[in-house]
Amino acid sequence: MIPVCSPLMNGNEEKYVLNAMRTNWISSSGKYIELFENEFAKYCGTDYGIAVTNGTNALHTALSALGIKKGDEVIIPNFTMIASANAVCYTGAKPIFVDAEPRTWNIDTNKIEEKITSRTKAIMPVHIFGHPCEMDKINELAEKYNLKVIEDAAEAHGAEYKGKRTGKLGDIACFSFFANKIITTGEGGMIITNNEDLAERCMSFKNMYFGKERNYVHEEIGFNYRISNLHSAIGLAQTEKAKEYVNLRIKNNNLYKEGLKGVEEIIFQKEEPWAKNVYWMNAIVLKGFNRDKLMNKLKEKGIETRLLFTGMNKQPCLKKFGGDMSGEYPITDWLTKNGLYLPSGSGLKAEEIKIVCNSLKKILSEK
Ligand SMILES: *Cc1c(COP(=O)(O)O)cnc(C)c1O
């Protein structure tokens, strides 16, 4: 079977984890946490990194540090993973949805302004599948309406917008290190920022809001989102290899594009000239061929694929939360109905991509 995404750990992971175990530092103290935070922040080009238990909790922590609360609204893309919306709901604020645009499938920056109200406090762009959002437009709107910008960069380690790394394109940014992400710790996440005050608030929220002096007086309802030294040990080793892993994702995408050149039924995510897409996933959209039929036929051939996201406006949990489910989201609907991921992990081999491309071409030609 060719899996949709398996992790690659070919650096110092084992060595560092063993060191953490043998020195007995297995919990939320130990040298690897700070080393990982510093190394990853440096990789992104920011001053501060705060590692937490996963990407969803990174978003919750960042939103909390920005003071987002009940009664507020946060603008998010309709086409994203549920975690982006959930994190907003955890604060009590309402997520407000904006449709994707048809080229990069990111939030349509021409449709944001019409969703801004007196309650809007922040915009959370998501760099979908590793393609950066159009950040200049988003930051202009943020300035005009005095909003905060939180990047959900869970899928976009190392991606660049006009030569600048994701993670320093807004006020604060969040990454995920889940097993299928470009850098992984098994489960893990990180918040990065250049703002010292925000970084301090994130540190406090992450750990019960103990504050600087551990005097058991708590100014806010904090969380326990502390990452372990064991996970951080893996994270440090992975970050040392970040450049290599990002290049592997890009190389895989090039191989797919070559292998599937001229196949009319397949649409790839477009890469804008100002963007460096890191291709977390090789997502495609079908034209004139049934998506479910293709996925079943690929499965028969031992090739694993996955559906793309269902829009936030179609999520029962967000409706129950009291979200505004009205409006039309035609691009999201198109992606949900016709899109899928192909195998995409960093460990994917060129021969495997060849098999996938040839199988795809064969199935599509048999219509
Ligand atoms: C993976 C992902 C997250 C959540 O990360 P976890 O580590 O799984 O909690 C958030 N947003 C997006 C866009 C993601 O793809």
Side-chain angles (χ1 to χ4, degrees):
M1 214 227 353
I2 303 180
V4 78
C5 199
S6 53
L8 184 63
M9 289 175 286
N10 60 0
N12 288 318
E13 288 86 352
E14 246 184 82
K15 183 175 142 195
Y16 293 167
V17 170
L18 269 179
N19 180 277
M21 290 191 72
R22 285 176 178 159
T23 53
N24 243 353
W25 290 101
I26 57 165
S27 195
S28 53
S29 300
K31 67 176 180 183
Y32 287 115
I33 299 166
E34 214 177 299
L35 286 170
F36 175 37
E37 289 174 334
N38 290 344
E39 197 65 22
F40 190 77
K42 198 171 98 193
Y43 173 73
C44 298
T46 55
D47 293 338
Y48 307 99
I50 303 99
V52 293
T53 38
N54 58 55
T56 312
N57 292 345
L59 290 169
H60 183 203
T61 304
L63 288 161
S64 302
L66 287 168
I68 305 294
K69 58 183 189 312
K70 193 168 178 177
D72 295 342
E73 292 178 356
V74 177
I75 290 177
I76 69 168
N78 191 51
F79 183 69
T80 184
M81 196 241 186
I82 192 71
S84 319
N86 283 355
V88 175
C89 296
Y90 296 165
T91 68
K94 264 190 199 170
I96 303 294
F97 320 130
V98 172
D99 202 8
E101 49 88 6
R103 288 174 57 81
T104 67
W105 313 337
N106 276 324
I107 190 165
D108 188 336
T109 50
N110 293 318
K111 294 186 179 156
I112 293 176
E113 197 161 13
E114 65 201 58
K115 299 273 176 142
I116 295 174
T117 71
S118 57
R119 292 177 297 278
T120 310
K121 292 287 153 58
I123 307 174
M124 183 197 285
V126 182
H127 308 303
I128 290 290
F129 305 141
H131 192 297
C133 295
E134 221 178 302
M135 293 307 295
D136 281 351
K137 281 202 180 170
I138 290 166
N139 285 323
E140 267 168 38
L141 285 170
E143 196 159 323
K144 184 169 166 192
Y145 293 97
N146 194 23
L147 310 174
K148 301 293 181 192
V149 176
I150 307 125
E151 287 173 77
D152 180 346
E155 306 179 355
H157 315 66
E160 288 175 15
Y161 173 77
K162 297 186 177 172
K164 275 166 79 181
R165 283 259 159 90
T166 50
K168 56 175 180 181
L169 305 170
D171 294 290
I172 196 163
C174 298
F175 289 84
S176 164
F177 306 116
F178 181 61
N180 69 5
K181 302 293 159 94
I182 299 179
I183 291 172
T184 184
T185 58
E187 295 277 5
M190 200 179 301
I191 305 135
I192 62 170
T193 181
N194 277 327
N195 182 317
E196 186 181 357
D197 188 48
L198 276 180
E200 238 168 57
R201 277 174 64 77
C202 286
M203 291 278 265
S204 298
F205 269 113
K206 158 187 171 176
N207 183 23
M208 304 296 185
Y209 225 92
F210 266 105
K212 265 188 203 154
E213 291 159 54
R214 210 179 166 94
N215 60 4
Y216 294 91
V217 177
H218 305 261
E219 297 286 337
E220 304 268 5
I221 304 282
F223 323 120
N224 173 1
Y225 290 163
R226 301 183 302 261
I227 195 171
S228 80
N229 196 43
L230 295 169
H231 290 89
S232 302
I234 301 174
L236 175 65
Q238 289 266 304
T239 306
E240 290 169 353
K241 291 251 174 184
K243 206 172 157 191
E244 179 185 327
Y245 293 161
V246 165
N247 285 338
L248 280 169
R249 295 309 245 244
I250 294 170
K251 193 180 118 212
N252 285 348
N253 182 262
N254 283 333
L255 290 172
Y256 272 120
K257 279 189 181 140
E258 269 169 41
L260 296 168
K261 203 154 51 192
V263 180
E264 280 175 6
E265 293 89 348
I266 293 178
I267 301 167
F268 283 98
Q269 185 184 26
K270 300 280 184 299
E271 185 167 335
E272 296 291 358
W274 40 259
K276 177 178 173 181
N277 188 348
V278 288
Y279 296 100
W280 169 57
M281 286 287 166
N282 292 285
I284 57 170
V285 181
L286 295 180
K287 195 168 63 180
F289 197 94
N290 183 282
R291 189 266 320 269
D292 296 344
K293 185 172 149 191
L294 179 77
M295 285 178 77
N296 284 330
K297 295 229 168 193
L298 285 170
K299 197 174 165 195
E300 281 167 23
K301 291 178 187 288
I303 298 165
E304 206 184 15
T305 57
R306 287 271 194 290
L307 298 173
L308 300 190
F309 308 123
T310 294
M312 296 302 105
N313 69 313
K314 301 252 168 86
Q315 301 296 341
C317 61
L318 298 177
K319 187 174 179 187
K320 270 194 225 164
F321 183 77
D324 178 7
M325 314 305 275
S326 66
E328 301 289 318
Y329 301 89
I331 303 301
T332 304
D333 293 343
W334 166 70
L335 292 165
T336 307
K337 182 161 179 264
N338 302 297
L340 68 148
Y341 309 135
L342 301 174
S344 295
S346 299
L348 200 63
K349 295 184 183 65
E351 309 91 78
E352 292 177 313
I353 295 177
K354 207 175 213 173
I355 293 171
V356 177
C357 290
N358 290 338
S359 304
L360 264 170
K361 283 194 276 198
K362 186 148 188 297
I363 297 165
L364 292 172
S365 70
E366 284 166 354
K367 71 174 165 181

